[in-house]
Every structure is written in structure tokens, then in C-alpha cells.
Amino acid sequence: MAQVNTCLKRVFTIFNIFFAVVGGVIILLTILSQVLTGLHGGEEMEGRVTGLAILYGVGIVTLVIAGVGAYGAHRESKAALIVFLVCMVIGSLAMLRLGIPAAVARPQVERVLEDRFRSMVPLDKATEDVKDMADTLQTHMHCCGLFSYKDWEDEIPASCVCNQKEQEEGECEAISYMNLFQTKNKYIYSKPCFPMLMYYFLLILDIGIGIIFSLAILALLGMTLSSIMIHQMRLPRSNTLVMTVPAIFTTAPPKYQELHNPPGY
């Protein structure tokens, strides 16, 4: 069996450890996202469930591939390294296939989502699912309406109303409304929900694109390292060249030194 460079084996092992850490972080972030969002079922949750399943799959596959690469480097197994190389090629192509369209489509995301949310206005005439979604956003993000409190027209829900502490902190604005033929004031959150929602959505999208391209770069690096190791395994164990000096270049004494002067000279 060929001898793989020790320094290269160490670098490759460190790479696989880092690769495994990346897979573990992806799984932990997916678990955290699942806990924070809370999966309660329903048709509106199908897209979220699919996304979480994909993230779980990516994290587990990353851990498995890292294990195969570490085993191949430790045992100098050509078969394991070839499997790792094939996975790196497929992974880099898949990440580029996902990342490039996402990066290209990012500038149009805000306009598409804005058109989607504007179709839900007015909120007081929307479906119960849309009202529940808006109430949830308003309660957790301290906002009112998607684009303005006027999205609710004259039926502003309790999730828009501020408490005394929030009024003192300047998060609210006073609006007038009619109640039993009397004009009264109500303090509601001054910020609309859509800009805040769009900020967090774009932040998550940018993080996702960054993760995709980072995985693509790692896959290309792993592909390079594994290719070098496989190439070294194809070489003979010893690459040392033994140089021999031809006899014509030996430093034997010249012939005239073998002659001895006779006595008397």
C-alpha cells in the first residue's frame, strides 16, 4: 500500500472534524428553530415541516460524510476516500445549484412578498387563518397591521393595544375611534408588522445563502484534499531515487602512481 503524507492526513482529519461540527450545528439550529416556532400541525405548516426535514437531512448527511472521510484518512482506505470524493462532487454541485438561483432571486423577494401580503388587506375581512397569523405577529413583534393600523379598518384587535409601560417607552401612538357616539382615544403600536417581518425574513435568507455557499466551498476543499490523497495512494511506497555514480567517474589513482622509481635514481 502507498504511504500517504502525514501532514496531509492531519489536515484532512482536521477538515473532517470541522465538517462534522458544521453538520452538528445545522442539526442544533434546526432543533432550536423547531422549538421556537412550535409545530402544531395544519396545512399552513406543511412548508415549514418540509424545510425542517431538509435541514435535518443535510445535517445528518454531513455528519455521515465526515465520518467516511475521517475513516478513509485514518485507515488509508481508497474505497472510503472515493466515496467521500463522489459525495463532495455531488454536494458542491447541489449547493451551487441551490445557492446561485437563491442569490439571483433575492432582490425580487421583497416585492413578491409585499404583493402577497397586500392581497390579505383589509385584515378584518380576511380569513380566520390570516387573522390568527396577524394577531400572532402583532403580539410577539409589538406591531399593528401589516402596513398600517388602517389595515384593520374600524376593528382593531386587542393584540394592537399597548400597555402603560409601552406607552411610556414611546412604542405607541394614539388613535381616535367612535364608541357609543363618543370619540375616544386608543393607544396602539406605532410600527407596522411587514417591515419588521421582511427584515427578519431577509436576514434568515442571507444566512441561508451564506451557509449554502460555505458548504459549497467546504465541499470543493474536501474534493481537492481527497483527490490528492487518492493520487498519493496510487504511487509506489518509496519515492526515493538512488543515484549511482558510473565507474568512469571514480577517483582511482592514476596509473603512473603505481610505478616505483628504482633505487639509485
Side-chain angles (χ1 to χ4, degrees), residues 145-159:
L146 294 176
F147 304 94
S148 168
Y149 72 90
K150 296 180 181 179
D151 294 342
W152 289 102
E153 294 185 344
D154 297 328
E155 299 182 16
I156 298 177
S159 57

